[in-house]
Amino acid sequence: MEVDDQNGLPHYPMLLNVTHIDMTSRADDIRAGLIDTFLNLERVDKNLYLARHLLKGRNSLPVVYGGQVIGQALSAATATVEVGFVPNSLHSYFVQSGNVDRPILYQVDRIRDGKSFCTRLVKALQDGEAIFTVQISFHRPEADSIVHQLPMPEVPAPDSLEDLSDTFERIKKNANIPPAALAMIGFKQNEIPPAFFRIFSFRPVDIDSYLCLKKEDSHSHGHPTDAYRSYVWIKANENIGDDPRLHLAAAAYISDATMIETALRPHSKRGFIPSMALTLDHSIWMHTDNFRVDDWLLYENHSTIAGGGRSLIEGKLWTRDGRLVFSTTQEALIRAHKKRASLSPSK
Ligand SMILES: CCCCCCCCCCCCCCCC(=O)SCCNC(=O)CCNC(=O)[C@H](O)C(C)(C)COP(=O)(O)OP(=O)(O)OC[C@H]1O[C@@H](n2cnc3c(N)ncnc32)[C@H](O)[C@@H]1OP(=O)(O)O
């Protein structure tokens, strides 16, 4: 077998074809689409897994959505640990944009197998180049020692809220939409991977604020909706089965969806539309695998700082009955359009 000098990896020329999951034709089988994407990675060699099934990325660029790479890398790493180990945390870097038209090869390094914990390092490659690295820790569930948890924020239940996809359609027909809100809706629709709305329902708790339809954030739901915080209910639109690995991968997938916009939203109200908005790194602490993505989950995001082209966002993923299942942190690159050089000659 021919070997690539730089990566020490065998060449697999037959692996170059990629299949887009056409969620339109599989709309009746979301579960199969998610299984193909996350659990049916092809094992091409010991420690090497290939993903040919990529959910299509955002409309504006053929860039792979970050959450997809996180979910697939998690599945590849899980395939190399003993049954009984459950992921407890991951820490990742997005080093280069992925191309949705190319397959992704996941190379797993078995850093250590302990009795209670295992550690894996996964490198995602396209055309022999790293696009992503992640270190993942697995833990064999053990008995409680100390026990505590923050209470879940009090927000309106998902049943009382409108789906974001319905809101988009309703609002576009309204002639009185402020220009900043229209620009933001256009931006979001370009950014949102088309498969999202077929697979998941998104119900923002404060839709007016979410879509920049009013100037100030309200305090109307009995919780302080401070400007840099957002709450979105998320749920897969169909039963996806009982395999906890699929629920973990799908939750990791959606955990990257709302963080950047939480940092952007207060600035969007003043008309800011970024020229670049990309996830740089993403960390997840999985407190349990005992939850379902096909039941409502509340994703709470809070951007604590932005400056110098970067912003930090924290997240908490709650079950409807108030259990904290994921804590997340992300740094994002958010750049402004470059100012055009003045056409008038300098004095
Ligand atoms: C509530 C319900 C919600 C429901 C629905 C949610 C919806 C909401 C959407 C969902 C989805 C969103 C959220 C996904 C967020 C990801 O998942 S993003 C995808 C994952 N992340 C990535 O792919 C990032 C990968 N990393 C990279 O691409 C590279 O490491 C970086 C960050 C670009 C840095 O690389 P570098 O080589 O150091 O490059 P750098 O010098 O920064 O230059 C890069 C380019 O930027 C250009 N550039 C520089 N400054 C600027 C500027 N101001 N403006 C423009 N371009 C510039 C440069 O010219 C250069 O261009 P080229 O010369 O390459 O053509």
Side-chain angles (χ1 to χ4, degrees), residues 63-66 94-97 164 191-193 196 202 204 210 232 256-258 260-261 275-276 278-280 333 335-336 338:
V63 167
V64 178
Y65 162 65
F94 290 89
V95 295
Q96 212 177 148
S97 291
L164 188 59
E191 292 295 302
I192 295 173
F196 266 32
F202 293 88
Y210 177 78
V232 185
D256 180 31
T258 58
I260 289 182
E261 60 173 19
S275 59
M276 286 178 92
L278 295 170
T279 306
L280 290 172
L333 174 68
R335 283 179 172 154
K338 287 176 182 158

Side-chain angles (χ1 to χ4, degrees), residues 8 20 27 51 80 94 106 115 131 142 147 166 178 203 216 232 238 240 257 274 276 278 303 311 318 331 335 337:
H20 284 306
T80 70
F94 290 89
Y106 293 92
K115 287 198 283 291
I131 60 166
E142 58 187 54
V147 177
D166 295 337
R203 296 194 181 174
E216 301 305 326
V232 185
E238 280 175 19
I240 64 163
M276 286 178 92
L278 295 170
S303 176
S311 180
W318 304 88
E331 190 175 39
R335 283 179 172 154
H337 288 273

Side-chain angles (χ1 to χ4, degrees), residues 123-181:
K123 202 196 266 189
L125 300 149
Q126 278 191 322
D127 297 325
E129 287 192 24
I131 60 166
F132 170 85
T133 63
V134 60
Q135 196 151 2
I136 306 179
S137 172
F138 293 83
H139 184 205
R140 212 185 265 288
E142 58 187 54
D144 291 334
S145 53
I146 58 165
V147 177
H148 64 255
Q149 189 213 279
L150 272 180
M152 183 184 186
E154 283 180 31
V155 298
D159 324 76
S160 65
L161 302 168
E162 189 180 39
D163 254 41
L164 188 59
S165 52
D166 295 337
T167 312
F168 278 157
E169 292 313 310
R170 182 172 57 79
I171 277 178
K172 277 192 294 189
K173 293 179 192 141
N174 180 343
N176 299 321
I177 298 295

Side-chain angles (χ1 to χ4, degrees), residues 169-226:
E169 292 313 310
R170 182 172 57 79
I171 277 178
K172 277 192 294 189
K173 293 179 192 141
N174 180 343
N176 299 321
I177 298 295
L182 268 184
M184 196 58 205
I185 292 168
F187 173 74
K188 280 187 204 294
Q189 287 196 309
N190 263 338
E191 292 295 302
I192 295 173
F196 266 32
F197 285 152
R198 291 203 198 90
I199 308 171
F200 299 105
S201 292
F202 293 88
R203 296 194 181 174
V205 161
D206 187 343
I207 193 71
D208 287 350
S209 164
Y210 177 78
L211 290 175
C212 310
L213 296 176
K214 59 187 171 197
K215 286 219 166 61
E216 301 305 326
D217 286 287
S218 73
H219 295 256
S220 58
H221 297 299
H223 62 87
T225 52
D226 67 294

